[in-house]
Amino acid sequence: MSGESFKKVHVDLPNHWAIGGESMWAEPLGNDLYKIENVPFYAYGLNYQDTVRATPESEDQIPEIRELVKKS
């Protein structure tokens, strides 16, 4: 990452044995779409450069990943 305007997105992992969720950097694409810009470690099924739809629960929270839109 070279200092571009990336934002944090989060995925809830309620059934993971080690953690309850994972945050990662993503490039905002507009219309609640983000391109993941690092390798998720715990979030199986999400990968670097995947496009996801993410919306926040409230204005003061980071966007929560709702669905995988396009695989990398």
Side-chain angles (χ1 to χ4, degrees):
M1 297 185 299
S2 60
E4 293 138 15
S5 59
F6 294 126
K7 299 210 179 232
K8 285 276 189 170
V9 294
H10 182 266
V11 63
D12 191 29
L13 301 171
N15 298 320
H16 197 281
W17 63 272
I19 62 171
E22 181 173 10
S23 294
M24 57 207 80
W25 290 108
E27 176 186 358
L29 302 175
N31 295 326
D32 297 329
L33 298 177
Y34 295 84
K35 184 183 285 188
I36 297 174
E37 291 296 337
N38 62 282
V39 177
F41 189 74
Y42 293 104
Y44 306 126
L46 292 177
N47 295 289
Y48 173 70
Q49 297 284 295
D50 281 353
T51 300
V52 296
R53 183 173 318 282
T55 57
E57 291 287 328
S58 65
E59 299 263 340
D60 60 333
Q61 293 182 329
I62 65 173
E64 184 76 27
I65 295 175
R66 307 294 177 188
E67 68 175 313
L68 174 63
V69 174
K70 181 181 175 191
K71 290 184 167 276
S72 59

